[in-house]
Amino acid sequence: MDIMPLGPGFAAEIRGVTLADVAADTAIYAAVRAAFEQHSVLLFRGQEISGEGQLAFSACFGPPEVTKVGSLGTGTNFVILTTIGDDGKVVPEDHRFALRNKANQLWHTDSSFKAVPALTSVLSARTIPDHGGETEFVSTRLAFERLDPGLQKKLEASFAWHHYGHSRAKVAPGLATTEELDALPPRCWRMVWRNPVNGRGALYIASHTYAIEGMEPAAGAKLIEELTAAATAPGLSYQHKWRNGDVIMWDNRATMHRGRPWPGNEPRYMVRTTISATAADGLESMRPPARVAAE
Ligand SMILES: [Fe+2]
């Protein structure tokens, strides 16, 4: 197995190993897992992708999420990200599918708004637009390490609130349905996720983050905005131009990502599997004190 660095200080391509190898061999899994802990984003090219194969690979890393209400694929282990409607045609730009892609174009980490946040997401390209549609990543671990020690200390002792409705409202009012909002109440997490394998901390923020516990709403929102801007400043990202057969996995504890736009008349079809974080991934250290959680 070869590890080829891709981005500015994070992200790597894994060569010489297929998704099926990882699912079949615990030693290969261990090597890929170690690369995941270190590089945060892993690219596998030239894969023969099936839903079953993607899920078997993903499930090596932990328990698969069941897709939430209101998403395509609800009740299964797959999230379908598509702009192709039931009639086989590309949907208009004001269609819910298209608006959801707009929401995915905000810098975020997956599932921070859920009762159990995600360790990793695995994304495979099935239909790729000819122009645009890249996925762009930044390291929130490197972003955290660039902050001054005083702010690092403050953030490590701070907790922020995450809500699905917050990120969706930035795109279109009513994009999050009542059913989704009922199923996804706000969640509170520590602002730094320390990786138990290498001890390195990462900022844990996303487009879903709307408030910081114990701060005035405006001051909290301003700090979230400043931290996001610093983490995503020009020159810090790895932008992935998709090819057929590409599969990318990323560490939701240590990165943010966003989709990039593409011409509205070109179809795009992607399949995501998502793995929940567990105690071994540092989940328990992310929970707020009981007093905060009860609010
Ligand atoms: Fe995402």
Side-chain angles (χ1 to χ4, degrees), residues 6-248:
L6 284 177
F10 74 105
E13 181 183 344
I14 301 295
R15 291 195 188 157
V17 159
T18 66
L19 302 196
D21 294 336
V22 173
D25 186 317
T26 51
I28 296 175
Y29 165 71
V32 170
R33 177 75 194 221
F36 167 80
E37 301 287 357
Q38 186 180 343
H39 299 284
S40 305
V41 177
L42 300 182
L43 165 66
F44 300 81
R45 287 210 190 266
Q47 302 297 304
E48 277 180 38
I49 303 162
S50 68
E52 205 179 308
Q54 182 172 335
L55 184 57
F57 166 82
S58 306
C60 296
F61 291 80
E65 267 188 16
V66 176
T67 302
K68 67 167 192 62
V69 295
S71 291
L72 264 187
T74 182
T76 75
N77 298 123
F78 301 97
V79 176
I80 311 297
L81 299 158
T82 183
T83 55
I84 305 167
D86 291 338
D87 58 0
K89 292 191 187 133
V90 176
V91 299
E93 289 193 34
D94 59 351
H95 190 279
R96 188 163 288 273
F97 290 1
L99 292 173
R100 299 211 150 175
N101 283 313
K102 285 221 167 70
N104 282 330
Q105 289 166 18
L106 304 170
W107 285 110
H108 67 283
T109 191
D110 292 330
S111 303
S112 68
F113 51 81
K114 292 187 181 165
V116 182
L119 167 68
T120 181
S121 302
V122 179
L123 188 63
S124 65
R126 309 298 175 95
T127 302
I128 304 165
D130 290 332
H131 312 90
E134 300 89 351
T135 304
E136 188 172 17
F137 300 91
V138 291
S139 169
T140 56
R141 177 186 291 167
L142 296 176
F144 177 69
E145 290 172 352
R146 283 191 300 268
L147 299 174
D148 71 72
L151 184 54
Q152 286 182 348
K153 221 171 161 190
K154 173 187 155 150
L155 293 173
E156 191 135 34
S158 297
F159 296 86
W161 289 91
H162 299 245
H163 191 213
Y164 181 74
H166 180 68
S167 52
R168 269 48 196 170
K170 292 176 185 174
V171 172
L175 182 54
T177 62
T178 311
E179 189 188 26
E180 287 175 309
L181 296 177
D182 286 349
L184 301 165
R187 301 287 174 184
C188 186
W189 305 112
R190 190 181 296 279
M191 293 186 74
V192 178
W193 197 321
R194 205 159 272 287
N195 180 310
V197 173
N198 54 36
R200 294 173 73 180
L203 267 181
Y204 193 64
I205 52 170
S207 56
H208 322 297
T209 317
Y210 66 95
I212 297 175
E213 189 57 30
M215 282 182 80
E216 289 297 321
K222 184 164 172 277
L223 179 55
I224 293 162
E225 200 176 300
E226 287 168 0
L227 291 169
T228 304
T232 61
L236 300 175
S237 76
Y238 167 66
Q239 183 162 303
H240 184 67
K241 172 89 187 138
W242 289 92
R243 289 189 211 156
N244 278 316
D246 284 356
V247 177
I248 295 192

